[in-house]
Amino acid sequence: MVPFSFAGEEFALTQGRALYWPRERALLVADLHLEKASFFARHGQMLPPYDSRETLERLALAIRETGARRVYTLGDNFHDSRGVQRLEPHAARMLAALTRATDWVWITGNHDIDKVSGSAEAAAGGTMADELDIAGMILRHRAKAGETRPELSGHYHPRLQLTVRERRIRRPCAVVSADGNGSGRMILPAFGALTGGMDAADPAILKALQPARAIDAVVPAGGKLATFPLWRAAA
């Protein structure tokens, strides 16, 4: 884990794309997209059906490594509302064990609610919320335009894109904004095993984090936090 300060709180980014909040003993993860492969398989695009197992194994490891007692998922938890019904038995047992062992809260995203069949999360254990305010930190799926309170979100699957020695490198990253008053907002990388990504400097991400004075991509690297400037307010 790599510790760092954000909006007056101490956090740590894990190598596995999770954010740990020591004061709350909470692990935060975004965009699990459980059962994405089986969703595509039902629509004719055959993918290996083990993405949920891999995602949950990495999540269990992050819980063990951090000692987290709480888990907050920041939306797009299942790829669709029927995903929980398609979990293979091993993955289903893993998820049930995790939701029993921790204070587990599903924050819902745009993939999570189906008005006809209900929510996958309701059948998977834990509790649900549209968004939360934890000690003044707003947890939601998608960054809210114009938000001035400290905020943690997901949705965009940010990836840092670099060219090093003529080699293109893409790595999941967090995107952090600062407002110049000690506050800020953060978009977490997608945690799921089968998730693509958006360029961290994409205008949609930069716009979502306004108002801001500075926006950076941050990546754990070699036990330290590497920071890459993405945007600066005009002087």
Side-chain angles (χ1 to χ4, degrees), residues 112-140:
D112 298 314
I113 299 298
D114 186 310
K115 294 181 180 178
V116 175
S117 63
S119 171
E121 292 90 332
T127 59
M128 295 174 57
D130 290 332
E131 62 179 56
L132 292 172
D133 182 339
I134 306 295
M137 189 76 64
I138 307 303
L139 313 185
R140 56 168 56 109

Side-chain angles (χ1 to χ4, degrees), residues 1-199:
M1 292 190 297
V2 182
F4 72 105
S5 298
F6 167 73
E9 292 280 347
E10 295 302 314
F11 290 90
L13 275 171
T14 75
Q15 298 292 338
R17 312 179 202 174
L19 181 71
Y20 181 58
W21 191 353
R23 185 167 69 87
E24 297 293 325
R25 300 196 69 177
L27 191 74
L28 296 101
V29 291
D31 300 282
L32 302 178
H33 283 272
L34 297 170
E35 290 305 301
K36 184 175 182 178
S38 63
F39 174 85
F40 278 98
R42 292 181 66 184
H43 293 81
Q45 184 176 349
M46 305 309 293
L47 296 171
Y50 304 113
D51 59 303
S52 295
R53 184 184 296 197
E54 180 182 343
T55 297
L56 293 170
E57 286 173 349
R58 289 197 293 108
L59 187 47
L61 177 61
I63 292 170
R64 289 197 299 271
E65 289 180 340
T66 61
R69 297 294 181 86
R70 298 187 179 100
V71 174
Y72 297 105
T73 72
L74 300 183
D76 285 2
N77 306 304
F78 287 84
H79 194 69
D80 67 290
S81 62
R82 294 175 177 81
V84 70
Q85 302 166 16
R86 300 194 305 273
L87 281 169
E88 47 97 6
H90 179 76
R93 289 193 297 270
M94 289 180 64
L95 180 57
L98 291 173
T99 57
R100 285 196 306 266
T102 60
D103 180 6
W104 188 290
V105 181
W106 303 99
I107 292 175
T108 54
N110 52 288
H111 276 259
D112 298 314
I113 299 298
D114 186 310
K115 294 181 180 178
V116 175
S117 63
S119 171
E121 292 90 332
T127 59
M128 295 174 57
D130 290 332
E131 62 179 56
L132 292 172
D133 182 339
I134 306 295
M137 189 76 64
I138 307 303
L139 313 185
R140 56 168 56 109
H141 175 59
R142 186 171 185 171
K144 184 177 180 180
E147 179 64 82
T148 58
R149 296 171 294 177
E151 177 192 73
L152 299 172
S153 64
H155 181 68
Y156 289 99
H157 304 203
R159 288 190 176 216
L160 182 65
Q161 300 188 17
L162 299 172
T163 301
V164 179
R165 297 178 182 177
E166 299 184 355
R167 180 184 176 188
R168 192 73 167 168
I169 298 174
R170 295 179 177 87
R171 291 188 61 180
C173 67
V175 179
V176 179
S177 73
D179 66 1
N181 296 312
S183 187
R185 301 158 73 194
M186 186 188 314
I187 297 174
L188 272 63
F191 190 86
L194 194 60
T195 50
M198 175 185 285
D199 182 3

